[in-house]
Amino acid sequence: GKVGSLTVRNFFVFDLGGLIEPLGSLSLNIASTGSYITPDTEETVTFRSYEGDPGFLINGSFGLSNYADLGDGTVYASLTVDTPVADVSAPMPAVTISLSEAAVAAVNAIIAAPDDPGDANDKLFAFGGELVTAPASTQGLWFVDSGPGAVTLTGTPAAIPLPGALPLAAAG
């Protein structure tokens, strides 16, 4: 979001350890545990890829280049949400956002990569978010509680094609 001329970005980090099958789709689910502070009647949030080490985000040791990376990667999704009441801190509705094929490909690359016992972050998937409302907005913040279940990532398994001979065998 924006606080005066300062751009504020957020990030999401998910542990994909234990997943072994590729996914066909992904959704980001944000519970209604947050609130808005905005003079606007709607806010648009964009989620982008993050190419840095997710461990830096988790432990807070990232610098300006990692911060910039949260806002300049491949777009994974964009969503415009109506704000309930302008100029007042109001409850945020729960939202579900379908993530792009690029996000699915990034997750599947992490799933397919061999485990690296020396890298505790090798199975982490991270991406950034930013409110990108029109420049006329002087302030816009979107708060979400980071407690358990506040933000989840859900996926559906990728379709597995049948072997070529199987349909023929079924036909008789």
Side-chain angles (χ1 to χ4, degrees), residues 12 14 28-34 92-95 143-153:
F12 302 90
F14 297 94
L28 178 68
N29 310 290
I30 303 174
S32 62
T33 59
M92 179 184 97
V95 293
F143 294 102
V144 177
D145 177 5
S146 60
V151 179
T152 58
L153 187 67

Side-chain angles (χ1 to χ4, degrees), residues 64-157:
L64 290 177
S65 63
N66 292 85
Y67 179 78
D69 189 13
L70 291 170
D72 67 5
T74 301
V75 174
Y76 283 166
S78 188
L79 176 74
T80 299
V81 179
D82 292 333
T83 57
V85 181
D87 294 320
V88 176
S89 178
M92 179 184 97
V95 293
T96 297
I97 305 143
S98 295
L99 299 182
S100 70
E101 290 181 15
V104 173
V107 164
N108 286 337
I110 293 168
I111 292 170
D115 284 328
D116 180 355
D119 183 359
N121 301 326
D122 70 329
K123 294 295 181 180
L124 298 180
F125 173 57
F127 57 94
E130 178 180 350
L131 290 181
V132 291
T133 305
S137 176
T138 56
Q139 177 173 309
L141 293 174
W142 187 12
F143 294 102
V144 177
D145 177 5
S146 60
V151 179
T152 58
L153 187 67
T154 56
T156 58

Side-chain angles (χ1 to χ4, degrees), residues 40-65:
D40 302 317
T41 57
E42 64 181 25
E43 292 286 0
T44 300
V45 62
T46 298
F47 301 100
R48 295 179 178 271
S49 64
Y50 173 74
E51 304 304 323
D53 182 344
F56 292 142
L57 299 175
I58 293 169
N59 69 26
S61 64
F62 62 96
L64 290 177
S65 63

